[in-house]
């Protein structure tokens, strides 16, 4: 028998805040500056949904540790500036959150500092304060299941009773590996076919999320 949903776990970037486009644009800019030309599609495939540590590791393999350190520092600066210039919640998210009555939390590859900034800029931080979890708190980032299992444990809910809202391939893979149901939001940068898989519902309009949760 399928357990009813008791907890909705939200990714942050691209699910709560419309920041993946900003991040991708910054990564393309840095690649051009530092010697690794990347298209937006390549950034999505390589970086979106992964932790800062995992991205830095990829850059170091390509360009060396020194350049990777510069890349990471420049990304933080440029990303913060772009967020301050005009970050917004994902379209339809506020309506969805107002309708969802289940307990919720956040589990993101981003650091707590980054989430305080992005969620704070969009007025979302207080909605999730005290229920925000970062990949910096676990051994392995997405696509490993560690972060989602950690979030479920902290919230006191069995993995089988959790639904994860994700917008990246590593994210939906992590949710499935954790034994959770996944909702793949395809209204952002990641193509819908990259989110599809067993135990996963792909959707394009965040306003439809409450109804999808009720059907699970």
């Amino acid at each position: 028998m399928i357990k009813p949903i008791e907890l909705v776990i939200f990714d942050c970037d691209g699910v709560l805040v419309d920041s993946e486009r900003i991040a991708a644009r910054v990564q393309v800019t840095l690649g051009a500056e530092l010697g690794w030309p990347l298209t937006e599609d390549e950034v999505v495939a390589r970086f979106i949904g992964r932790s800062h540590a995992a991205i830095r590791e990829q850059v170091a393999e390509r360009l060396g540790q020194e350049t990777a350190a510069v890349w990471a520092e420049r990304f933080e600066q440029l990303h913060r500036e772009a967020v301050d210039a005009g970050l917004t919640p994902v379209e339809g998210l506020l309506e969805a959150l107002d309708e969802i009555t289940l307990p919720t939390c956040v589990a993101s590859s981003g650091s707590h500092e980054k989430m305080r900034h992005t969620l704070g800029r969009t007025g979302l931080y207080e909605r999730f304060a005290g229920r925000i979890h970062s990949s910096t708190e676990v051994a392995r980032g997405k696509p490993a299941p560690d972060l989602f299992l950690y979030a479920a444990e902290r919230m006191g809910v069995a993995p089988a009773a959790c639904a994860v809202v994700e917008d990246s391939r590593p994210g939906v893979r992590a949710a499935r590996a954790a034994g959770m149901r996944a909702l793949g939001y395809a209204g952002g940068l990641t193509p819908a076919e990259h989110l599809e898989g067993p135990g996963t519902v792909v959707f394009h309009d965040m306003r439809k999320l409450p109804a999808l949760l009720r059907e699970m």
Side-chain angles (χ1 to χ4, degrees):
M1 182 176 176
I2 298 176
K3 290 178 82 65
I5 299 298
E6 298 175 21
L7 174 67
V8 185
I9 303 175
F10 287 92
D11 176 42
C12 183
D13 295 299
V15 170
L16 297 178
V17 294
D18 196 13
S19 53
E20 295 292 39
R21 290 179 176 85
I22 291 173
R25 187 169 67 246
V26 171
Q27 298 287 22
V28 169
T29 298
L30 289 173
E33 286 181 5
L34 298 174
W36 187 6
L38 291 162
T39 66
E40 184 178 275
D41 287 344
E42 288 171 330
V43 167
V44 170
R46 289 178 174 275
F47 296 163
I48 295 301
R50 298 189 182 274
S51 67
H52 288 304
I55 294 170
R56 183 166 175 163
E57 189 175 297
Q58 289 188 58
V59 176
E61 288 176 359
R62 180 88 176 206
L63 302 175
Q65 291 289 352
E66 187 174 329
T67 301
V70 172
W71 186 303
E73 183 178 343
R74 290 275 290 138
F75 178 84
E76 292 294 334
Q77 174 194 352
L78 294 174
H79 186 271
R80 177 173 285 274
E81 290 172 357
V83 164
D84 287 342
L87 181 66
T88 62
V90 165
E91 185 178 356
L93 174 80
L94 297 179
E95 297 94 318
L97 290 179
D98 286 343
E99 193 176 334
I100 293 169
T101 57
L102 292 163
T104 61
C105 71
V106 179
S108 171
S109 294
S111 66
H112 280 286
E113 181 182 5
K114 179 183 175 185
M115 286 186 278
R116 276 192 296 270
H117 185 222
T118 57
L119 293 174
R121 291 294 299 181
T122 51
L124 291 169
Y125 188 81
E126 291 304 319
R127 284 185 181 249
F128 295 100
R131 309 188 315 280
I132 299 174
H133 314 288
S134 165
S135 65
T136 59
E137 299 171 82
V138 297
R140 300 176 300 169
K142 305 169 189 178
D146 301 30
L147 177 57
F148 291 140
L149 293 174
Y150 173 74
E153 181 181 6
R154 290 291 302 272
M155 296 293 292
V157 177
C162 296
V164 175
V165 187
E166 265 285 357
D167 72 315
S168 73
R169 177 182 274 171
V172 292
R173 286 175 59 196
R176 291 193 286 260
M180 302 176 180
R181 280 159 278 186
L183 292 129
Y185 175 62
L189 293 179
T190 302
E193 58 267 26
H194 290 183
L195 302 172
E196 294 170 352
T200 305
V201 174
V202 177
F203 68 110
H204 293 79
D205 185 344
M206 196 59 74
R207 297 176 188 85
K208 295 183 178 178
L209 179 59
L212 293 173
L213 289 168
R214 288 192 293 268
E215 294 167 4
M216 291 188 118

